[in-house]
Amino acid sequence: MPYMNIHMPCDIITENYLQGLLNEKFKDNPKATLKDIIDTLKEIPEYKNSIVKPVIRVGGNDDFAGKIAVLMAGGTNGGEKVFKAYFEAGVGTIICMHMPEDVRKAVVEQNIGNVIVAGHMPSDSIGINMLVEELRNRGLEVTTMSGIINKF
């Protein structure tokens, strides 16, 4: 098969990678702020090498992050009701690829959590690059195209 779609599995790879990285980085820092998260994300090559940078869409630099949930798979993350459910379950900050303006406004009105939008293409590229690296390690030839942000 010369072509296949691997988008959703790569989103899940990104989600798991970022969740693990942030859990480890902030496990001993209950007072981590949204700026701390942004700074950590910007150290990741795909974000560092991208025109699109992670941004705070709900909250401010000095707001405490609390429990962090990375939601990279699932389209637009289910909208305002899904965000609210996460916040009511104890999540303080959600990190996602994108957030429509109507959802952002609704979450601001809820006033119960923070949202960082990491950016679609660099977030996609993390999972795709990890999969491509593994495939190449197994001896496959892989040609990437169409906006993949390299980590080198």
Side-chain angles (χ1 to χ4, degrees):
M1 175 189 290
Y3 299 100
M4 70 178 168
N5 184 328
I6 46 133
H7 194 126
M8 181 61 90
C10 290
D11 284 353
I12 294 168
I13 291 168
T14 298
E15 183 174 284
N16 289 335
Y17 168 74
L18 290 177
Q19 189 70 63
L21 176 81
L22 295 170
N23 287 349
E24 182 63 27
K25 173 91 175 182
F26 298 115
K27 70 180 177 184
D28 296 324
N29 184 2
K31 295 193 177 193
T33 65
L34 298 186
K35 183 178 182 320
D36 294 332
I37 295 172
I38 293 284
D39 290 345
T40 299
L41 292 174
K42 286 181 178 178
E43 293 172 7
I44 297 168
E46 288 84 352
Y47 295 120
K48 187 187 307 183
N49 296 335
S50 176
I51 294 170
V52 175
K53 304 295 182 198
V55 295
I56 299 167
R57 292 279 301 192
V58 179
N61 277 335
D62 297 327
D63 290 345
F64 293 122
K67 184 175 180 174
I68 301 165
V70 179
L71 309 177
M72 292 293 176
T76 58
N77 304 312
E80 65 189 80
K81 291 180 182 178
V82 171
F83 280 82
K84 185 175 183 182
Y86 272 91
F87 296 138
E88 288 177 343
V91 169
T93 301
I94 292 173
I95 300 172
C96 55
M97 284 192 204
H98 37 69
M99 181 183 213
E101 184 60 23
D102 61 324
V103 174
R104 189 196 71 76
K105 286 180 181 178
V107 172
V108 167
E109 288 176 17
Q110 293 169 5
N111 196 32
I112 55 175
N114 308 301
V115 179
I116 292 174
V117 172
H120 195 125
M121 291 310 293
S123 298
D124 276 351
S125 295
I126 291 170
I128 290 169
N129 284 335
M130 291 175 121
L131 177 63
V132 165
E133 184 175 354
E134 182 60 29
L135 293 172
R136 287 177 177 156
N137 287 340
R138 292 175 184 228
L140 292 172
E141 180 181 329
V142 180
T143 303
T144 59
M145 62 184 88
S146 186
I148 304 305
I149 298 165
N150 289 319
K151 61 185 209 175
F152 306 106

